[in-house]
Amino acid sequence: MHTQLTTTWLQRMMRGNIVKQILAGLVLGILLSWLSPDTALAAGMLGTLFVGALKAVAPVLVLFLVMASVANHRQGQKISIRPILLLYLIGTFSAALTAVIVSFLFPSTLHLVAGATDIVAPSGIIGVLEGLLMNIVANPVDALIKGNYIGILAWAIGLGFALRHSSDASKSLLNDMSSAVAFMVTLVIRFAPLGILGLVASTLATTGFGALWSYAQLLLVLVGCMLLVALVINPLLVWVKIRRNPYPLVLLCLRESGVTAFFTRSSAANIPVNMALCEKLGLDKDTYSVSIPLGATVNMAGAAITITVLSLAAVHTLGVAVDIPTAVLLSIVASLCACGASGVAGGSLLLIPLACNLFGISADVAMQVVAVGFIIGVVQDSCETAINSSTDVLFTAAACQADSERASLMPLRN
């Protein structure tokens, strides 16, 4: 009887609406942290297991999916990576520029704190770019273990090209392996409601929100910039691409990708969720199998906002004068730094000293700004990851739909 009830519960969970289940998990997590903090802390293991499972399966998924897509790519078959990459870069720069404007309209100041000075930040933009290039040539096994998606992409594309001339049996095996890993991803994603319940319960039970009140204005500026980008700037970019109402697609991506990314706080961990959403939207598999892991590394609008807002908060605190050319330069630097941000929680904070260096702010003070970032990270990093990850799907879908509509109109023009 007990086994039958368990089986029935699992079947309902697998077939139910995942968004409704995640919302239910969110509410239960809040209630659990309020009613029983000790139980909430114990429930945190569910969240740890869920994020760990996503991070474990994502590198393998990217490797096999990209290899299979490249190996099976037929001559003349079109993919849309270039326009997606252009959207990624324009979106990230637009986010940084938006953050500059909002930070000047609503200047924030910091109560600089001690600590975080033992964290080693990159020494310059050259160091960031060098790190990206070294990631490309990293050992493939090491890239899989460390979740280095630039390295995984490079090896997957290279091996995919090498396997283009392999036998049909080899390609079939590669497709079967890709499908098997995709099945494992689907299985992990179905447990998202339990994972989010654990993440919410343990986070609220551990930190609460008391420490955030002293930085309320800074958080409002950060979250306000991210909402402005998510609900105004990105829809405008999508409208330019597809020439129709972008909001149904924008809201769908925020709901089905952004909500999960908000709680996992890792673009890398959200790759499987984005892959599943792209499949649900009926996008070209050859395109999204490359653009989604690529976006988890270079499409970093939220990171650009974090770097810009916190850097300018330090500038305003110290009373440093900033002219318009320097502000524009900050947007460019923040965009480049954001592209080098790690795909894990808190990755963008370590790049703040690079931006602070533009204004002659010392490394000691800059690392104190990083410490402030960790204090507000409960909200900042969650919102940052949500906009980063959901935009990966949004821009991929916009480019794919624009190409599809263009292709359908060609016979009429001819």
Side-chain angles (χ1 to χ4, degrees), residues 126-277:
I126 300 299
V128 174
L129 297 178
E130 182 183 354
L132 286 175
L133 291 175
M134 291 304 296
N135 284 338
I136 293 175
V137 298
N139 180 287
V141 177
D142 187 63
L144 282 169
I145 292 172
K146 294 182 178 178
N148 168 16
Y149 287 92
I150 286 291
I152 293 170
L153 266 177
W155 277 96
I157 292 171
L159 290 172
F161 275 111
L163 289 167
R164 273 192 176 187
H165 304 292
S166 62
S167 65
D168 290 339
S170 297
K171 292 180 180 180
S172 178
L173 176 61
L174 199 57
N175 286 329
D176 290 342
M177 288 297 296
S178 178
S179 298
V181 176
F183 171 78
M184 294 299 297
V185 168
T186 303
L187 193 62
V188 170
I189 291 173
R190 293 308 308 189
F191 284 92
L194 291 177
I196 285 174
L197 186 155
L199 288 169
V200 171
S202 61
T203 299
L204 292 181
T206 303
T207 63
F209 288 95
L212 303 178
W213 287 115
S214 60
Y215 294 104
Q217 182 183 356
L218 179 62
L219 274 172
L220 283 174
V221 172
L222 275 168
V223 176
C225 287
M226 293 180 190
L227 287 174
L228 186 62
V229 169
L231 299 176
V232 178
I233 305 298
N234 285 347
L236 182 61
L237 292 174
V238 172
W239 177 83
V240 169
K241 197 70 182 174
I242 64 177
R243 296 292 178 175
R244 65 171 184 273
N245 182 8
Y247 283 99
L249 182 60
V250 169
L251 296 177
L252 175 67
C253 292
L254 286 173
R255 185 175 70 246
E256 299 206 11
S257 172
V259 169
T260 309
F262 183 90
F263 294 106
T264 62
R265 296 170 62 188
S266 170
S267 297
N270 213 49
I271 287 175
V273 177
N274 284 349
M275 293 277 201
L277 180 54

Side-chain angles (χ1 to χ4, degrees), residues 43-55:
M45 179 59 68
L46 293 173
T48 303
L49 288 172
F50 173 63
V51 175
L54 281 175
K55 288 183 177 179

Side-chain angles (χ1 to χ4, degrees), residues 340-363:
S342 173
V344 297
S348 60
L349 296 177
L350 298 184
L351 296 166
I352 290 172
L354 294 184
C356 287
N357 190 52
L358 280 176
F359 308 101
I361 297 174
S362 69

Side-chain angles (χ1 to χ4, degrees), residues 279-293:
E279 183 178 4
K280 179 180 176 180
L281 290 169
L283 306 182
D284 178 43
K285 189 174 182 179
D286 290 334
T287 298
Y288 74 71
S289 63
V290 178
S291 69
I292 294 300

